[in-house]
Amino acid sequence: AQKITQTQPGMFVQEKEAVTLDCTYDTSDQSYGLFWYKQPSSGEMIFLIYQGSYDEQNATEGRYSLNFQKARKSANLVISASQLGDSAMYFCAMFRTYKYIFGTGTRLKVLA
Amino acid sequence: DAGITQSPRYKITETGRQVTLMCHQTWSHSYMFWYRQDLGHGLRLIYYSAAADITDKGEVPDGYVVSRSKTENFPLTLESATRSQTSVYFCASTYQGTEAFFGQGTRLTVV
C-alpha cells in the first residue's frame, strides 16, 4: 500500500535560515509524482513544488527545493532564507494510480 | 468563475441526518478527490474519481457515499452523520496527476 510519512510534527527555524522538512514515501510503482503543499492558518492549500519519479534533477521553485533520493524513497523539502510568512503547515503528497495521498504534515514556525 | 468551489462553507447538522457536500470544478479535470482534515491526521482520502462514473474508495470511506454523473461535479454524502464525522472537508481536482487544486473547504459539525 502506498503511504507518506512525515515524522516531524513541528519545527522551528530562525528567520533567514534554511530548514529541511522530511518526507518518506512507500510505493512499489515506478511512475509517481511527489508534491509539497503549504497550508497557512487561513486554511487554503497552496502548491509549492513537484518532482516526477523519472526526473533525475531535484526540483526547484524559488526558495523551495525538493531533495529527491529515490533509492531511499525520500522527498525532503528545503526552504532557504526562511521568512515569517513561511510559518504554516506543510504537507508532502504523492500521486500514483489515480490516488493523491498526503502525509500528516509538519507545522513550521519561523522565529524573528 | 473558473476554479473549484465547495458548498456549503459551514454546516451544522444533527446526528443521524443525511448531509451532502457539493464540489464543482470548471476545468474538466479528470481526477477529483475528497479529503477530511483532522488534527494530527493530515488529509485523509475518503473517495476519489478518475472520470465521470468511475469512483473508488480511499483510506476512510465508511459512512460516506459519492457520485460523479458529470465530470465537473463530485458530491459527497454522509448517509447518517455521526459526531466522528465532524471535520473539515476538502475537495480537490487535478489534470493527470499534476498540481492539485483545492476548494476552500467545508467545516462540518455534527451535534
Side-chain angles (χ1 to χ4, degrees), chain A residues 84-111:
Chain A
L84 296 178
D86 294 334
S87 293
M89 196 75 172
Y90 288 82
F91 292 99
C92 181
M94 176 170 65
F95 179 86
R96 167 225 167 245
T97 318
Y98 313 141
K99 290 185 183 180
Y100 215 119
I101 62 167
F102 287 77
T104 51
T106 296
R107 184 170 297 281
L108 178 67
K109 175 72 174 175
V110 181
L111 305 174

Side-chain angles (χ1 to χ4, degrees), chain A residues 8-13 19-21 106-110:
Chain A
Q8 305 155 313
M11 291 276 287
F12 291 95
V13 64
V19 63
T20 298
L21 306 185
T106 296
R107 184 170 297 281
L108 178 67
K109 175 72 174 175
V110 181

Side-chain angles (χ1 to χ4, degrees), chain A residues 53-91:
Chain A
S53 58
Y54 293 116
D55 296 340
E56 295 189 352
Q57 289 199 332
N58 288 341
T60 59
E61 289 286 349
R63 294 185 299 111
Y64 304 108
S65 61
L66 197 153
N67 185 358
F68 180 46
Q69 298 188 39
K70 194 169 183 177
R72 299 179 63 181
K73 293 189 175 178
S74 74
N76 298 338
L77 177 70
V78 180
I79 306 175
S80 62
S82 296
Q83 302 172 356
L84 296 178
D86 294 334
S87 293
M89 196 75 172
Y90 288 82
F91 292 99

Side-chain angles (χ1 to χ4, degrees), chain A residues 35 37 39 43 45 47 91 95 98-104, chain B residues 31 33 35 37 40-43 48 90 97-100 102:
Chain A
F35 306 81
Y37 290 84
Q39 186 180 43
M45 295 291 287
F47 165 76
F91 292 99
F95 179 86
Y98 313 141
K99 290 185 183 180
Y100 215 119
I101 62 167
F102 287 77
T104 51
Chain B
Y31 299 100
F33 311 89
Y35 301 91
Q37 184 175 17
H41 292 280
L43 279 80
Y48 62 99
F90 283 99
T98 52
E99 175 187 352
F102 286 80

